[in-house]
Amino acid sequence: MRSEYRAYRFRLYPGKKQMEQMAKTFGCCRFLYNHMLADKIRTYQETGKMLRNTPAQYKREFPWLKEVDSLALANVQLHLESAYRNFFENPAAGFPKFRAKHHSRNSYTTNVVNGNIRLEGRRLKLPKMDPVRIIVHRTIPSDGILKSVTIVREPSGKYYASLLYEQEACENQTAFPVRAENVLGIDFAMSGLGVFSDGTRADYPMYYRKDEKKLSREQRKLSRCQRGSRNYEKQKERVPRCHEKVRNQRMDYQNKLVCRLAGQFDAVCVEDLDMKSMSKGLHFGKSVMDNANGAFRRKLQEKLERQGKAFVKADRYFPSSKRCSRCGRIRKDLQLSDRIYECECGYKEDRDVNAALNLRQEGIRILGCA
Ligand SMILES: [Zn+2]
């Protein structure tokens, strides 16, 4: 049986002592990471070789490292080793980066060994501390085996645990014949989340937009506060809280949309965009990143494939925008500013809808539907 890994993220409510222990673990992991990395770099510069160092050596020198979860420290080593191996394979990428105290995520990952970590009702048992209150808001498949846990403290001061489970993969890859009417084309427009071949578009509800506006207002306020002042400190906490809310809303919206589309259609066809190279382009960078289209596409693909449905990508050079979805003519002179697509054949349609229709036709062609 094939197995797969899935992460479940839950809110944690640690008490004062547990928070202290977590903070200590974040600090120790960062300390160990930076020390091990510094020693690796020194050895490399002196000998050109890869140093194999382990947390045990550092525990002798810094005995207080023993006060935190040893598996979290072991994980630091694993993580650093893979980053360092990448460097050896591709030295042009440079050494792995050091972790600054103020600009790095407060998190640590620890592994499950002999039941040292357990989810018991509303409590999560972690090594070296009393069980922490946890809100398990969704069900975990009963056959899932807990493999590791990542504890995170967000800049807003909220705590989360991401539980990684190994579970049986869904094996319903019975590729059923996809009917043309159940194929959806999606064009990822520069604004909004996407335009569908049925003429509708995904747009965040107004109240989400309101929060986005609030976020930028709070950010502006922060930039006007005097650094180090009491107002500045207060405002500094408000911004990440707002960020988090916007992010959560976005995820919630995306998840619901993914569920709806995957339920309604048998196959989805999208452009094969290289999101990275696109976000580098100055003009669209921001909106592409903001709309997190990449995450949406990944989620949709996963959901469809889990149901044995198809997620297909049109070739990168497929002219989805320039092609007329009615007669197939290509308009080479189409500008980015042309919002309406007009063709010699008399066809006239919103630019993005025309592109989505082209993607749908391409999907039908690729899948060879009747
Ligand atoms: Zn035409």
Side-chain angles (χ1 to χ4, degrees), residues 186-204:
I186 308 179
D187 177 65
F188 288 96
M190 290 307 145
S191 57
L193 194 63
V195 177
F196 304 135
S197 53
D198 59 5
T200 61
R201 52 182 71 220
D203 204 356
Y204 293 111

Side-chain angles (χ1 to χ4, degrees), residues 38-293:
D39 289 344
K40 276 186 192 298
I41 292 175
R42 198 178 316 116
T43 303
Y44 177 75
Q45 282 166 344
E46 284 167 4
T47 68
K49 292 204 176 85
M50 184 165 166
L51 173 69
R52 299 203 180 274
N53 43 359
T54 65
Q57 300 164 257
Y58 296 85
K59 279 185 196 169
R60 275 196 293 276
E61 197 178 339
F62 309 102
W64 40 266
L65 286 173
K66 290 180 195 154
E67 291 168 25
V68 304
D69 183 355
S70 63
L71 288 161
L73 300 179
N75 242 296
V76 169
Q77 182 192 3
L78 288 180
H79 179 89
L80 181 59
E81 228 123 75
S82 79
Y84 205 62
R85 228 172 315 163
N86 282 343
F87 160 71
F88 266 85
E89 278 158 23
N90 178 22
F95 287 117
K97 299 271 182 295
F98 285 102
R99 290 183 180 167
K101 191 170 178 193
H102 294 287
H103 297 285
S104 62
R105 251 159 78 93
N106 278 310
S107 76
Y108 72 87
T109 299
T110 176
N111 292 33
V112 179
V113 173
N114 295 330
N116 60 339
I117 302 171
R118 289 183 306 275
L119 191 57
E120 291 168 338
R122 292 178 185 177
R123 303 266 166 185
L124 177 66
K125 174 74 192 92
L126 292 165
K128 302 262 185 191
M129 66 180 94
D130 291 332
V132 184
R133 205 152 75 81
I134 186 169
I135 305 294
V136 181
H137 66 278
R138 53 185 288 205
T139 39
I140 295 160
S142 53
D143 67 332
I145 302 163
L146 183 59
K147 296 307 242 183
S148 71
V149 175
T150 300
I151 305 294
V152 183
R153 182 187 185 275
E154 297 286 358
S156 61
K158 289 179 185 165
Y159 289 81
Y160 293 92
S162 189
L163 278 58
L164 189 72
Y165 280 88
E166 184 181 8
Q167 58 197 51
E168 223 168 74
C170 305
E171 294 275 5
N172 51 355
Q173 303 292 22
T174 43
F176 50 87
V178 175
R179 280 179 308 164
E181 62 261 37
N182 292 336
V183 178
L184 178 74
I186 308 179
D187 177 65
F188 288 96
M190 290 307 145
S191 57
L193 194 63
V195 177
F196 304 135
S197 53
D198 59 5
T200 61
R201 52 182 71 220
D203 204 356
Y204 293 111
M206 268 321 279
Y207 58 94
Y208 290 2
R209 292 247 175 254
K210 230 183 248 167
D211 283 317
E212 280 174 0
K213 273 192 196 124
K214 186 167 176 247
L215 173 63
S216 55
R217 202 160 55 229
E218 298 289 0
Q219 264 163 341
R220 264 201 313 278
K221 257 194 220 164
L222 181 68
S223 68
R224 280 198 300 263
C225 287
Q226 200 185 350
R227 257 180 174 276
S229 68
R230 252 181 66 196
N231 276 336
Y232 178 83
E233 293 304 321
K234 255 200 255 165
Q235 190 62 26
K236 218 171 96 184
E237 271 181 18
R238 237 173 251 151
V239 174
R241 227 176 291 152
C242 213
H243 248 299
E244 208 177 284
K245 190 173 175 200
V246 168
R247 197 172 60 217
N248 286 344
Q249 283 177 333
R250 203 175 275 163
M251 274 203 308
D252 179 60
Y253 177 76
Q254 283 189 358
N255 290 342
K256 281 178 183 150
L257 185 62
V258 162
C259 272
R260 183 170 72 76
L261 295 176
Q264 208 176 337
F265 296 95
D266 291 347
V268 170
C269 182
V270 298
E271 269 173 296
D272 187 7
L273 300 178
D274 183 346
M275 299 308 285
K276 262 193 194 148
S277 72
M278 250 179 100
S279 62
K280 276 180 197 147
L282 282 173
H283 320 291
F284 343 114
K286 196 164 182 300
S287 60
V288 170
M289 293 312 278
D290 278 358
N291 293 315
N293 283 346

Side-chain angles (χ1 to χ4, degrees), residues 324-329 341-347:
C324 169
S325 62
R326 188 205 271 170
C327 72
R329 271 195 193 92
Y341 187 95
E342 275 186 278
C343 182
E344 285 170 46
C345 72
Y347 180 76

